[in-house]
Amino acid sequence: MTTLSRSLILGVSVMTLAACGADEIVSPGTGGNVTINNVTNNPAPTPTPSPTPTATLVTPANGCPTIADPQGLTDEGTITGPEGEWRVCATPDRFNVSSTLPRVDGLLYRLPGQVNVGTDGGPADVGADTDVELTIEPGVIIYASGSSFLNVNRGNSIDANGTASMPIIFTSRDNILGLNNENSSGQWGGVVLSGRAPVTDCFQPAAVPGTVDCERQVEGAAAPTFFGGATNDDSSGSLSYVQIRYSGFVLSGDNELQSLTTGGTGTGTSMSYIQSVNSSDDGVEFFGGFVNLDHLIVAGAEDDSLDTDTGVKANLQYVLVAQRDGIGDAIIEADSNNGLEDQTPRQNTQVSNFTFIQRKTDDQVVRIRGGADYGLSNGVIFDATGATPCIRIDLDETIRAANAGLDDVGPPTFNSVALDCTTNFRDGSGGVTAAQAEAIFDAGTGNDKAYTHSIVNGYLNGANEDGYAPIFDATALSSFFDTVTFIGAVSAADDWTQGWTCDSAALTFGNNTGSCLGIPVF
């Protein structure tokens, strides 16, 4: 695969123009100029005007491919950005039969609004499912604008599996046009998976939480879109090697989407190697159900980076999170204090092998509240501001002893967690003090409250992380987890960020699809 980003275009253009004696060129994506001062002998020769390059890297596909859905794709002509001219094929507003979006040279797909995969079959499979599967081939690029987003309805699924050399990219129209800068965000909705697994905080006031009658509505959806049920092993399909850029369009106050939203997804859903870039809301948010996700990157989210809620049972391993300078809220927000803390199933989220880099002066890096069960292991928390406490815990319900009748496994747990914060703990609400939070942290094994990180290149483990001891065996929590010999998200011996990611102000990896401001040409 050959990937060509805007930086490559600039480099080639500079060399070409310099050979022709050009004085300056405009640098796309930066708004600045690059000046080339050539050494000349006296008398100086009369300058020869440099020709303007006319070749483009991308030429539009001849037309839109045929897909199985009868509504088909709509040829909307072309769109031109710094990488060249692309054919634009708008998807149907609803996929009514299983269909494949193939990768075609010089072609982009556009989401024309709320695009649904199948029709919602309801909270239980009673024979009304449309069983639509949307397959997206490696290297496909899909863009949207405004309130447009992709929703996989209950009883349907997605198969969006890129590769390490050809990821699938969901992004914004402005990104295609080359209009974005390092702080761009909130330019379209995001990706939503809606499933049938149990949730709490029911939309219907009389419904019993965790039952087939308990449903919730997707935030940010103009048309009612529901999730929830009682099918633990439900499947919404699979996502892997996927970038989701510049999402989080705001419809109204507290009503917006994030890069990736799951609602009531079941254990049959598979997710790995996912990168969220500059979401204007949370990086990812998981509402109820079950989430098993490995190799997750959240870069530059403007609200919380990892938000978990309404009874989700989540296992996450290899999680790399970094904020942009001065932007963002907490890195973890677990549940909410809303008077529904004892509804079941109770949230229980376990995160192993994480690197959290806080760059915004705020209340805390990690906030656990709402009676949620939570466990952190084999990770490092680094506050680059010197002013943000590492850990805050709210409410007595969050720190009480285990109670099987309440689906409560006890206070949060911390094992082999290293804190590199000027202030490690702070008082929470509901009477939980910093001293209580510290005692809970101290009750774990292998924790370090006076750690000095050795992270290199802004994300990669150094000697302190790869040589940390003791290491917690997370396989004791779930068979989902790998046994490891290091803390942190990315061991120097296995840099899994390479190839499929893009570079942003929050995280830069190199050897990948290039800057997130550019569009790769595969």
Side-chain angles (χ1 to χ4, degrees):
M1 177 203 75
T2 300
T3 57
L4 299 167
S5 66
R6 191 165 301 118
S7 60
L8 177 57
I9 300 169
L10 175 59
V12 173
S13 299
V14 169
M15 290 188 290
T16 302
L17 293 175
C20 297
D23 292 322
E24 65 177 28
I25 62 172
V26 175
S27 171
T30 66
N33 292 331
V34 177
T35 302
I36 303 171
N37 296 314
N38 296 320
V39 177
T40 58
N41 297 317
N42 291 322
T46 302
T48 302
S50 300
T52 301
T54 57
T56 57
L57 291 172
V58 177
T59 56
N62 291 331
C64 297
T66 300
I67 63 173
D69 191 277
Q71 188 175 337
L73 300 168
T74 301
D75 189 335
E76 295 187 331
T78 63
I79 187 171
T80 301
E83 288 74 28
E85 186 178 7
W86 307 80
R87 175 73 54 192
V88 178
C89 300
T91 70
D93 55 8
R94 184 183 303 276
F95 288 92
N96 290 297
V97 302
S98 294
S99 303
T100 296
L101 298 181
R103 194 199 75 81
V104 178
D105 289 346
L107 186 146
L108 305 172
Y109 296 96
R110 186 179 78 86
L111 303 177
Q114 177 177 329
V115 174
N116 289 282
V117 177
T119 300
D120 182 9
D125 183 358
V126 293
D129 288 351
T130 51
D131 294 316
V132 171
E133 181 176 66
L134 175 62
T135 299
I136 303 174
E137 290 186 349
V140 163
I141 300 171
I142 299 174
Y143 78 90
S145 58
S147 59
S148 300
F149 70 98
L150 180 66
N151 177 61
V152 180
N153 279 303
R154 293 178 294 190
N156 305 277
S157 63
I158 188 170
D159 178 357
N161 295 295
T163 67
S165 59
M166 296 186 72
I168 294 166
I169 299 173
F170 292 91
T171 191
S172 68
R173 181 176 182 270
D174 283 2
N175 193 192
I176 303 298
L177 292 172
L179 301 177
N180 282 354
N181 59 47
E182 294 290 1
N183 288 315
S184 296
S185 67
Q187 296 175 340
W188 68 290
V191 178
V192 180
L193 306 183
S194 299
R196 285 185 169 133
V199 300
T200 63
D201 300 40
C202 315
F203 177 79
Q204 306 88 341
V208 177
T211 70
V212 72
D213 297 321
C214 184
E215 302 174 89
R216 288 184 55 80
Q217 188 169 352
V218 173
E219 290 183 1
T225 302
F226 290 94
F227 60 86
T231 308
N232 288 354
D233 62 353
D234 188 50
S235 175
S236 297
S238 59
L239 294 172
S240 63
Y241 293 106
V242 171
Q243 299 176 15
I244 308 176
R245 308 177 180 181
Y246 309 114
S247 63
F249 189 80
V250 180
L251 295 181
S252 60
D254 297 322
N255 190 16
E256 57 192 307
L257 293 169
Q258 38 279 319
S259 291
L260 175 65
T261 305
T262 69
T265 50
T267 58
T269 305
S270 173
M271 294 180 287
S272 61
Y273 297 94
I274 294 174
Q275 181 183 22
S276 164
V277 179
N278 282 25
S279 170
S280 67
D281 193 43
D282 302 321
V284 294
E285 186 162 14
F286 307 133
F287 293 94
F290 298 86
V291 173
N292 292 309
L293 195 162
D294 61 84
H295 301 93
L296 171 66
I297 299 170
V298 177
E302 294 180 5
D303 194 3
D304 307 304
S305 298
L306 307 175
D307 198 340
T308 50
D309 217 332
T310 65
V312 66
K313 307 287 189 182
N315 295 316
L316 311 175
Q317 190 168 24
Y318 312 116
V319 179
L320 174 61
V321 178
Q323 297 171 322
R324 286 175 279 154
D325 287 338
I327 296 175
D329 200 347
I331 285 182
I332 283 180
E333 182 180 76
D335 232 302
S336 55
N337 301 342
N338 61 1
L340 306 176
E341 290 83 8
D342 280 338
Q343 290 193 358
T344 59
R346 185 177 306 282
Q347 176 186 162
N348 188 355
T349 295
Q350 304 283 349
V351 185
S352 185
N353 291 101
F354 61 87
T355 300
F356 295 161
I357 302 171
Q358 177 91 3
R359 296 191 177 118
K360 165 77 180 300
T361 302
D362 209 346
D363 292 335
Q364 63 281 309
V365 182
V366 172
R367 185 179 189 183
I368 303 171
R369 58 180 180 166
D373 291 332
Y374 217 98
L376 293 173
S377 60
N378 299 327
V380 56
I381 301 174
F382 169 47
D383 168 41
T385 72
T388 302
C390 270
I391 295 170
R392 167 181 175 174
I393 302 174
D394 294 349
L395 291 191
D396 286 337
E397 290 92 330
T398 310
I399 65 171
R400 67 188 170 196
N403 185 327
L406 294 173
D407 189 27
D408 192 336
V409 300
T413 61
F414 302 89
N415 293 288
S416 299
V417 173
L419 305 182
D420 190 348
C421 299
T422 302
T423 303
N424 286 327
F425 307 95
R426 60 151 291 182
D427 292 340
S429 62
V432 180
T433 66
Q436 286 175 295
E438 184 172 11
I440 291 170
F441 184 85
D442 290 343
T445 61
N447 296 321
D448 188 341
K449 296 182 292 187
Y451 184 72
T452 299
H453 79 86
S454 60
I455 300 295
V456 296
N457 299 331
Y459 74 96
L460 189 65
N461 277 5
N464 293 354
E465 291 75 38
D466 276 349
Y468 192 93
I471 298 298
F472 179 72
D473 184 5
T475 62
L477 305 173
S478 168
S479 60
F480 167 80
F481 292 106
D482 297 333
T483 298
V484 298
T485 59
F486 56 90
I487 66 170
V490 190
S491 170
D494 178 22
D495 187 352
W496 51 264
T497 69
Q498 298 299 289
W500 65 279
T501 56
C502 65
D503 296 331
S504 69
L507 287 166
T508 299
F509 305 105
N511 187 31
N512 57 13
T513 65
S515 170
C516 301
L517 299 176
I519 304 301
V521 181
F522 295 114

